[in-house]
Amino acid sequence: WDGFNNLFRELLPFTEDFALKSNFHKFYTSHKEYYSKQTARLNQLLPVKKIWKWLEAEFPKRKCNSYKIIFSPLIGGSHSTQIFFTRNPKTNNEFCEIVMFICSAYRYDMDDKLTEKQKEGLMSGVVFTEIDHNYVNPETSRYRDEVSKVFTKQNSWSSPNENWYNDPISVFNEYMTHSLYCLWIKENYDEKTADFIINMREDLNVNKRGFYKFNGFNRELMRLHKENPKAKVSDLYPLILKWCKEHCS
């Protein structure tokens, strides 16, 4: 991503030209009911405030003031997030906002075999695994040297074809991000729904994404959290890294 700039800004003249020639504003107004239904449905399936509260309880040093979620039926799986900070020079108060881009509810609504609770849990994962990078990544940076040593033998942790995550820190963060989601699901859904979603997440990471040791990592983090009820997830980093060190061969 060297030299990356704001692509939308660079292409703004073309975007404006398209909007004018396609009469987009008239089209949008005439289909506003459709967009409103899409938004309402996503609000049904995304307990964002609940996720937000849970993450800030588990990472008490990290606080965010605002979330903005932009969704589109056209985005596929290209989800992303960004965090922004500003500080008031007079009061020295900091304002933090997280912006993310995700798919629409159609991703799971198209599957008639899923229950409403399963759809909610799975759709929550789209947002959860974007939001929690803003909590996981800064905490990981505190253990950067140890993570880099343990995850040096990358092929034992991830597929060489997983080009998006080609350094020890990013691989570990993906393990933590998706394992935290499983932990949240286990604590907030009934056992049958939770088992179904966790099994899907483990299959996704091991068999589709090539994070070979995710199952063991995931079960260990859940065990550590259960056996240390007074500890926050941020407190468990040394313990989960100890497990990783023992399983890095």
Side-chain angles (χ1 to χ4, degrees):
W1 294 60
D2 292 343
F4 175 78
N5 203 342
N6 187 323
L7 191 60
F8 188 83
R9 184 185 295 126
E10 290 179 6
L11 299 178
L12 190 58
F14 297 99
T15 307
E16 291 174 335
D17 183 62
F18 170 78
L20 289 170
K21 290 180 178 176
S22 64
N23 207 4
F24 172 75
H25 287 286
K26 182 180 179 181
F27 176 86
Y28 178 82
T29 302
S30 64
H31 292 81
K32 201 166 185 178
E33 184 180 357
Y34 169 80
Y35 297 117
S36 296
K37 285 181 178 179
Q38 289 274 314
T39 303
R41 179 58 177 152
L42 211 59
N43 281 328
Q44 285 181 325
L45 295 178
L46 290 180
V48 178
K49 289 183 179 179
K50 197 172 182 179
I51 294 171
W52 183 357
K53 184 178 179 180
W54 189 89
L55 281 168
E56 295 203 347
E58 296 294 342
F59 293 85
K61 293 180 181 179
R62 300 290 294 176
K63 300 295 179 185
C64 189
N65 305 99
S66 171
Y67 283 100
K68 280 192 170 68
I69 300 174
I70 298 94
F71 74 92
S72 169
L74 307 177
I75 201 171
S78 300
H79 308 132
S80 62
T81 185
Q82 186 59 267
I83 189 167
F84 299 94
F85 294 94
T86 187
R87 189 178 296 278
N88 186 322
K90 294 182 179 179
T91 64
N92 205 37
N93 290 333
E94 187 176 74
F95 183 85
C96 164
E97 180 173 80
I98 292 173
V99 181
M100 69 196 71
F101 300 85
I102 64 168
C103 64
S104 71
Y106 182 71
R107 181 173 189 169
Y108 296 112
D109 273 343
M110 64 186 293
D111 190 343
D112 295 333
K113 296 177 183 178
L114 296 174
T115 67
E116 190 70 3
K117 272 295 177 186
Q118 288 170 346
K119 289 178 181 179
E120 180 189 297
L122 291 168
M123 194 68 214
S124 295
V126 175
V127 166
F128 191 103
T129 54
E130 293 302 327
I131 288 178
D132 70 348
H133 270 294
N134 297 290
Y135 299 87
V136 168
N137 293 19
E139 191 65 28
T140 299
S141 67
R142 297 180 59 216
Y143 301 89
R144 176 174 294 276
D145 291 344
E146 190 171 356
V147 171
S148 296
K149 289 177 183 176
V150 173
F151 280 75
T152 298
K153 297 181 179 179
Q154 250 190 293
N155 286 341
S156 67
W157 293 100
S158 65
S159 166
N161 296 323
E162 184 54 88
N163 294 324
W164 290 104
Y165 310 100
N166 51 17
D167 66 88
I169 301 296
S170 63
V171 171
F172 176 77
N173 283 340
E174 283 301 294
Y175 271 77
M176 279 297 292
T177 294
H178 288 264
S179 190
L180 268 186
Y181 165 61
C182 292
L183 187 59
W184 183 80
I185 288 290
K186 193 172 184 65
E187 291 187 6
N188 288 278
Y189 289 83
D190 63 272
E191 185 176 356
K192 185 177 179 181
T193 300
D195 287 346
F196 173 81
I197 293 172
I198 290 169
N199 287 336
M200 282 190 67
R201 185 61 48 157
E202 289 180 343
D203 176 68
L204 169 69
N205 278 285
V206 175
N207 297 315
K208 296 183 176 67
R209 304 184 75 211
F211 293 121
Y212 302 126
K213 297 184 179 180
F214 181 77
N215 285 16
F217 181 100
N218 192 37
R219 301 293 166 160
E220 178 65 9
L221 187 64
M222 287 193 283
R223 184 189 71 81
L224 289 170
H225 197 261
K226 183 178 180 179
E227 292 186 0
N228 298 274
K230 294 183 179 181
K232 306 296 185 183
V233 168
S234 56
D235 300 326
L236 300 178
Y237 265 67
L239 296 177
I240 194 64
L241 281 169
K242 181 176 181 292
W243 181 91
C244 292
K245 188 175 182 179
E246 293 168 354
H247 294 79
C248 65
S249 60

